[in-house]
Structures are given as C-alpha cells and as structure tokens.
Amino acid sequence: MTETQYHDLGDFTLQHGATLRGARLAYATYGTLNAEKSNAVVYPTWYSGRHWDNEWLIGAGMALDPDKYFVIVPNMLGNGLSSSPSNTTGGYGGPRFPHVTFHDQVRAQHDLVTRHFGIERLALVTGWSMGAGQTYQWAVSHPEMVERIAPFCGSSVTSTHNKVFLEGVKAALTADSAFDGGWYGDTVPVVGLRACARVYAGWGFSQAFYWEKEYQKLGYTSLEDFLVDFWEGFFLDGRDPNNLLSMLWTWQNGDVGKTPGFAGDTVAALGSIRATAIVLPAEKDLYFPPEDEAWAVSHMANAELRVIPGIWGHFAGHGSNDPDTEFIDTALRELLARPGGLD
C-alpha cells in the first residue's frame, strides 16, 4: 500500500457557500512525473473507497504502468482520509459537515495537480463509480486541460432511479438508534452499517451474478457467507456512517450541468467536453445502465461507448473479476494510444 500524502487546501470554500478551514486533500502517487509533465493521470476514488482500493488497475505491464505514467489518486473529500466528517473538528465536524459537490471535489484536485505539481495537461482522467462522476466533472470543469477520459461504471448525472437506491442506503444508516442523529461518538452504529450492507448487496452485483452463484468464485461458501463476510465486512472495514452520508449526498446530487456557467444544462455541459473519451458502462450495472451512458456519449463530440460484457454488474469496475479488469485495461491502453482531444 502506497504512503498517504496530504495537500493543504487552506480555507476551502465549497460550491454551496460553507468554508472548510484548514482543509486537506489526501492522495497517493505511482510512478514519476516526467520532465515535460506530460505523463500525468488522475484516478479519483469511489464511494467509500480509499486510494489503495484503486491499485488493482495500476501496475507494471498494465495501461497505467508506473514506469510510463505518473498516476495521482486523490481521495474524495468525505472519504475519511481527506477532510471529512470523521476528522473535522469545530462546527463542521460529524453530521454538520457541509455538502460537497463533484465540482468541489475536482476543484480541490485541480489545486493539487496545478499548484503542487505544476501540471498543465492531463494525459488521462479515469475512475470507477463516483470516480467516473469525477472523471466527467474534470472534463467539464477543465476542458482545456484534460486530453482523454475513461469513466467506467458511472455517470455524468445521477439518475432518479439511482437516487431512490441511495435513499435506501441513507435510511438503513440512520435508522439505527445508536446513530443518534450522527452524534454517535465512539459508539459505531453497527446495526445500521450491517443493514446498509444488505441494501447494497442487491445492487452491487446483477441478478445473473446471484443466479449463477458467482460469489463462490470469490471463495464464499454460501449466499449468507457472502452477505456477512463480503458485504457486511466491506462496510465494517473502518467506514464511518457520517462519512458515508457525506459522500452519498455528493453522489445523489451529481450532475455536470450544475457546473458554474451551465445553469443546470447537462447536455450543454457534456457538449463542452473536448477530451477524447471511451465510456465504459457494465452490461448489467443496476446503478448506471449502458443506456444512460449511451445518452451521455450522444452529446459528446469525440466519445465511444464500449460496454463491459458479463454478469458482474456494477462490480465489474471493482477489480474483482479478471476478464472485466482485462477489458478495462485494454480500453485504457487503446485510449492512451489515441490523439488527445487537445491535439
């Protein structure tokens, strides 16, 4: 696991007006920035993910080879490493942590990329799930800077159906009496986290995944074993409920049309993207179905839709299934060989 580094954002004013004082962005880097500063890749984290959770797509001989590219993995505000409800003191700590948009996430990352590293162009931005949302946002917020994008299993705007799913996650987390309105202190609301895991379990993988008992390929001996050890274990792995709710708000309110200057016009925002793009939805993703991303691609100037085949659903982008990993890696390799949208 690569060492966590921190970039000081100072007093960081968010899109909705609150100011996080002494804000910090946690990140990790892989590889070396070349003298021309032309080999930088930004690969943001996903819902509850930390930078080490992205390492499955980075490695020798892969498209994101550290011997060739300088890969920056910024941790989202709210994920527990960057400024978050769980590590913020004062008035904005815990459940009072302010709302953070995708635009805010990318503005913080842009500060890291430009002010700390002095990078003016990015060879690629890519990411899974909420990382895909940030990928789209980078291309809209900084069309002059982003050469290529490859959002996988994620969207430019959160659909209504996706918002309904997230209401279930929110209800599960907050229904636990130990949650106490977010003021649970050191008493982790385990019942709520376990319930959240059960809600997630029906969405993260497809119906066919369960029908074919694909979880057995991951070493789980029964459905209940999978639900308890994988799903409940996933959410009990140091994930803080207030952090989860903060990131949930970011996800639920995702829309590149809310970028300043577009007045809520998602189509116009997508049309402003200059980057060369391969958009990679998964065939049976229940959160971000291929038809949603086909719609986004139809409004982008230089974009290809490439559907990840198979039955792993949303978790096709998690790095758990070798054929899906190979499919994504191949797309990234082909994209990086194409001219960038700024050429």
Side-chain angles (χ1 to χ4, degrees):
M1 186 170 66
T2 301
E3 179 185 0
T4 307
Q5 301 178 69
Y6 294 92
H7 174 63
D8 290 328
L9 296 167
D11 293 347
F12 189 74
T13 301
L14 300 165
Q15 194 172 5
H16 285 264
T19 298
L20 289 172
R21 291 166 179 84
R24 296 201 305 172
L25 186 71
Y27 68 98
T29 62
Y30 306 80
T32 303
L33 185 63
N34 64 20
E36 299 78 22
K37 299 186 177 183
S38 61
N39 67 333
V41 173
V42 171
Y43 180 17
T45 56
W46 37 273
Y47 183 70
S48 86
R50 288 72 58 102
H51 59 264
W52 56 83
D53 295 311
N54 280 10
E55 291 179 349
W56 61 272
L57 196 55
I58 304 168
M62 301 186 75
L64 301 185
D65 189 333
D67 288 337
K68 186 173 182 181
Y69 292 102
F70 180 60
V71 183
I72 305 167
V73 181
N75 290 270
M76 282 199 300
L77 296 169
N79 85 335
L81 296 177
S82 295
S83 290
S84 304
S86 62
N87 60 26
T88 296
T89 58
Y92 284 133
R96 294 301 303 277
F97 195 76
H99 292 154
V100 181
T101 64
F102 278 118
H103 177 261
D104 294 325
Q105 301 284 5
V106 168
R107 194 163 63 84
Q109 295 165 24
H110 181 265
D111 190 75
L112 166 68
V113 167
T114 58
R115 188 162 63 87
H116 181 71
F117 289 114
I119 296 167
E120 296 180 355
R121 284 197 179 187
L122 294 171
L124 172 71
V125 182
T126 189
W128 174 51
S129 195
M130 284 187 75
Q134 292 165 84
T135 297
Y136 277 115
Q137 187 65 59
W138 259 104
V140 171
S141 290
H142 300 286
E144 79 294 343
M145 188 174 179
V146 180
E147 295 273 6
R148 304 167 188 85
I149 61 169
F152 54 99
C153 305
S155 65
S156 61
V157 56
T158 303
S159 70
T160 304
H161 190 236
N162 205 332
K163 291 177 182 178
V164 171
F165 151 71
L166 290 169
E167 284 298 314
V169 174
K170 186 191 305 181
L173 287 170
T174 57
D176 187 345
S177 61
F179 181 73
D180 193 23
W183 301 107
Y184 44 83
D186 295 330
T187 305
V188 179
V190 173
V191 172
L193 285 165
R194 289 187 183 274
C196 169
R198 297 279 175 146
V199 172
Y200 236 95
W203 287 76
F205 296 93
S206 74
Q207 297 95 331
F209 174 92
Y210 286 105
W211 179 265
E212 298 293 338
K213 298 182 180 179
E214 287 287 294
Y215 50 81
Q216 293 178 347
K217 294 181 179 179
L218 295 173
Y220 298 98
T221 51
S222 66
L223 177 60
E224 186 66 10
D225 186 44
F226 182 57
L227 293 176
V228 172
D229 197 50
F230 178 87
W231 278 110
E232 294 184 16
F234 185 95
F235 280 95
L236 290 169
D237 183 20
R239 289 167 169 85
D240 177 86
N242 281 326
N243 291 348
L244 291 171
L245 290 167
S246 174
M247 291 180 285
L248 187 151
W249 189 96
T250 303
W251 178 354
Q252 202 166 42
N253 289 274
D255 184 352
V256 292
K258 295 178 180 178
T259 305
F262 290 100
D265 189 337
T266 308
V267 170
L270 289 168
S272 73
I273 293 174
R274 295 169 57 188
T276 304
I278 297 180
V279 176
L280 296 153
E283 182 180 354
K284 293 185 178 296
D285 193 332
L286 301 178
Y287 303 127
F288 308 103
E291 55 267 29
D292 289 2
E293 299 323 293
W295 175 86
V297 165
S298 73
H299 297 294
M300 297 163 65
N302 190 18
E304 172 192 345
L305 184 76
R306 190 177 297 189
V307 179
I308 305 168
I311 64 173
W312 279 59
H314 189 58
F315 268 62
H318 182 252
S320 301
N321 186 38
D322 289 343
D324 295 331
T325 298
E326 183 179 350
F327 189 93
I328 295 166
D329 184 65
T330 297
L332 293 182
R333 190 183 310 278
E334 292 180 13
L335 179 60
L336 285 164
R338 295 179 183 179
L342 307 184
D343 293 338

